[in-house]
Amino acid sequence: MKIALFFGSFNPIHHGHLMIAQAVLNQTDVQQIWFVVSPQNPHKKSKSLLHEFDRLDLVERAIADNFQFKSCDIEFSLKKPSYTIDTLIHLSEKFPQHEFELILGGDNLEQFKSWKNYDKILDYFGLYVYPRGEEPTSDLWNHPKVKIVNAPVLHISATYIRACIQKDQSIKYLVPDTVEQLIAQKKFYI
């Protein structure tokens, strides 16, 4: 099976993430999207990072109605911080029957060469890149293992959602209803 891996802190997951994943399904031969919840991104440090199991729960609620979306907690048991190449190798060894590729925002492609073993990721896995309105400057945009996916660009960010919650403003329409309900019930991000 061909699986696209969507890595992220998903702090919290929102409609922008889900729209990108659906665009990848619609425009490629991918059969499933796995949302890989990252416990600690080596490129991001955040004091407002919700516990990894709570973020996984939010992801599972958000994708429960789509059989082609799966949650993945593989990085919870790996050395932290998690590096994408290590996770990819681990997944490939654990699931040799599957073919894995990455979903990546165009902004991340611009700094992709700073990632640990970025060349190995390209050689062995490949990327589905969704532009976010940035001006392409990296030569990687023309790499044969980089496929461009035209996904809707929504200017929704988890940072904005957390700020709304802290100001006691509604996050309706920014996140799935099930995610909004759990955030309110557990008083996340307050």
Side-chain angles (χ1 to χ4, degrees):
M1 182 182 303
K2 192 167 190 179
I3 297 166
L5 302 172
F6 198 169
F7 285 77
S9 54
F10 302 113
N11 190 39
I13 189 168
H14 54 70
H15 284 301
H17 296 127
L18 300 170
M19 290 170 69
I20 290 162
Q22 189 61 52
V24 171
L25 281 177
N26 290 348
Q27 298 175 35
T28 70
D29 59 348
V30 164
Q31 295 159 289
Q32 284 186 350
I33 308 285
W34 288 7
F35 290 79
V36 182
V37 179
S38 300
Q40 181 189 344
N41 181 328
H43 294 277
K44 284 185 189 175
K45 303 282 185 259
S46 176
K47 293 177 188 159
S48 61
L49 194 62
L50 202 60
H51 191 278
E52 58 203 42
F53 288 106
D54 292 323
R55 289 182 287 120
L56 180 69
D57 195 12
L58 291 171
V59 167
E60 288 173 347
R61 286 171 184 253
I63 65 173
D65 63 348
N66 190 328
F67 73 96
Q68 289 180 290
F69 291 171
K70 306 286 180 202
S71 65
C72 180
D73 64 359
I74 195 80
E75 290 194 336
F76 294 10
S77 60
L78 299 178
K79 184 180 167 201
K80 292 171 185 64
S82 336
Y83 290 95
T84 304
I85 186 64
D86 299 331
T87 306
L88 287 167
I89 290 168
H90 190 78
L91 281 169
S92 296
E93 290 170 353
K94 187 171 180 175
F95 302 103
Q97 72 277 24
H98 296 321
E99 180 184 337
F100 295 104
E101 296 204 30
L102 294 179
I103 298 172
L104 200 67
D107 55 334
N108 284 320
L109 184 64
E110 286 296 317
Q111 47 104 14
F112 189 65
K113 288 184 179 181
S114 70
W115 289 28
K116 179 181 175 187
N117 298 105
Y118 81 92
D119 51 337
K120 302 280 186 267
I121 295 172
L122 280 171
D123 290 346
Y124 297 110
F125 301 98
L127 307 174
Y128 292 110
V129 176
Y130 58 97
R132 295 173 118 170
E134 62 285 306
E135 197 61 40
T137 58
S138 171
D139 59 332
L140 292 178
W141 286 92
N142 298 313
H143 192 284
K145 291 286 206 114
V146 172
K147 300 166 204 96
I148 306 303
V149 174
N150 292 313
V153 178
L154 282 182
H155 296 288
I156 299 175
S157 73
T159 304
Y160 175 76
I161 293 167
R162 292 191 306 270
C164 286
I165 294 166
Q166 289 167 357
K167 295 176 193 169
D168 200 26
Q169 297 173 342
S170 174
I171 57 170
K172 190 167 188 62
Y173 309 118
L174 298 173
V175 298
D177 291 342
T178 54
V179 170
E180 181 185 19
Q181 290 161 5
L182 186 63
I183 288 172
Q185 176 191 340
K186 299 246 180 147
K187 299 185 180 345
F188 290 153
Y189 306 115
I190 293 177

